[in-house]
Amino acid sequence: MNPQSPFLRVEGVGKTFGAHRVLQDVGFDMQAGEVIAIIGPSGSGKSTLLRCINQLEPPTEGRVTIGDVTIEAGHAPSRRELVTLRRRIGMVFQSFNLFPHLSVLRNVSLAQERTMGRSRKEADARSLELLDRVGLASKASQFPARCSGGQQQRIAIARALALEPEIMLFDEPTSALDPELGLEVLAVMKELATSGMTMIVVTHEMHFAESVSDRVIIMADGRILEQGDSEQIMRRPRTERAAKFLSAVRDR
């Protein structure tokens, strides 16, 4: 891939569920190392867009390119293409999706052994490094139920990082957390951004969107209203709809 070409390209992506159109003509490019925050009212298609990027929800229109892999709507990708694409993508959801019957350490190690062929010793060593990075090395032998929501979300981040993704997708990772616990998660995400991780973050955290991301995309009704430099979009939106949304979330 040409160093100047986008790492991620989303072109004309649309998604319908029956007669309901959730996304329409969504497109943007993204460079490696960039952090994009996606904001907008509930029901605007933000989470569906993430799921279309990693093919959890195949788009009904358009195409998604990551590196040298392009998947086009209407053309079922091969298993190899899907595996290649998903190996490049780490995903963190609103819910933590941890295995309750496994220790924190096993939650982070298991996928490494299954998908990367690492030995248990190798996987555990990498897991401990990542748990230390998210401030939870001391919880390695605990079970998820003994951890707070913020800790469980940080474990989920460590688990995603363990598979060495080239891009991380975050789907409102703090929305289910109390504000104080959410700050723990945001601190980890900020550290990832500072370290150069390519990230797309669907979020209601306006301060994170403005101060940590390089670009902000505002969505409404399945379309992109505005996209551009974070400070400019957050402080000087060009459209009335975007200004109304930002005013509402700031005054809440």
Side-chain angles (χ1 to χ4, degrees):
M1 183 176 63
N2 187 312
Q4 298 304 312
S5 59
F7 171 73
L8 169 68
R9 172 165 282 171
V10 176
E11 299 175 89
V13 164
K15 179 67 180 178
T16 57
F17 294 97
H20 181 47
R21 183 178 287 277
V22 181
L23 293 175
Q24 185 170 355
D25 196 27
V26 174
F28 62 92
D29 288 351
M30 185 178 193
Q31 300 294 333
E34 194 173 13
V35 178
I36 291 179
I38 302 179
I39 63 174
S42 296
S44 57
K46 306 182 299 294
S47 297
T48 301
L49 175 58
L50 291 192
R51 295 173 69 85
C52 284
I53 289 172
N54 68 6
Q55 301 294 311
L56 288 175
E57 293 286 357
T60 46
E61 300 166 0
R63 65 183 64 83
V64 174
T65 301
I66 295 184
D68 56 359
V69 177
T70 296
I71 296 181
E72 190 157 358
H75 300 275
S78 67
R79 177 174 173 79
R80 181 178 179 181
E81 286 174 325
L82 272 181
V83 168
T84 301
L85 181 114
R86 288 179 176 158
R87 278 291 303 272
R88 291 176 163 169
I89 300 172
M91 182 91 178
V92 177
F93 299 88
Q94 295 177 40
S95 54
F96 320 125
N97 297 324
L98 300 176
F99 295 114
H101 62 291
L102 298 180
S103 70
V104 167
L105 184 64
R106 289 304 294 153
N107 264 281
V108 182
S109 291
L110 186 61
Q112 299 175 62
E113 297 168 28
R114 295 276 175 87
T115 67
M116 302 178 78
R118 287 177 176 164
S119 68
R120 183 161 181 166
K121 182 178 180 181
E122 290 171 330
D124 285 352
R126 180 59 177 151
S127 297
L128 287 169
E129 289 176 9
L130 290 167
L131 288 170
D132 184 59
R133 183 175 181 180
V134 301
L136 292 173
S138 63
K139 296 287 186 179
S141 62
Q142 300 276 1
F143 287 89
R146 299 291 301 275
C147 301
S148 70
Q151 289 170 338
Q152 291 188 57
Q153 192 61 291
R154 285 186 280 157
I155 294 163
I157 292 173
R159 180 180 59 186
L161 291 172
L163 300 182
E164 299 180 359
E166 297 172 36
I167 181 172
M168 288 282 286
L169 309 180
F170 293 88
D171 187 8
E172 299 190 24
T174 62
S175 64
L177 303 175
D178 293 334
E180 186 176 1
L181 299 179
L183 287 175
E184 301 173 355
V185 176
L186 289 171
V188 170
M189 293 168 61
K190 185 174 181 179
E191 187 273 326
L192 286 177
T194 303
S195 74
M197 173 61 75
T198 309
M199 297 164 55
I200 301 178
V201 184
V202 169
T203 184
H204 290 296
E205 303 283 353
M206 296 299 112
H207 179 71
F208 180 93
E210 182 173 346
S211 62
V212 178
S213 68
D214 301 298
R215 274 197 292 150
V216 167
I217 293 174
I218 303 182
M219 294 185 65
D221 303 320
R223 296 174 176 267
I224 292 179
L225 282 180
E226 296 190 34
Q227 59 176 312
D229 173 78
S230 298
E231 183 180 1
Q232 184 268 312
I233 293 291
M234 300 296 289
R235 296 292 171 179
R236 299 180 297 281
R238 295 183 296 272
T239 63
E240 183 180 350
R241 180 74 189 277
K244 184 177 180 181
F245 166 73
L246 289 169
S247 176
V249 294
R250 286 206 175 94
D251 292 344
R252 210 159 42 190

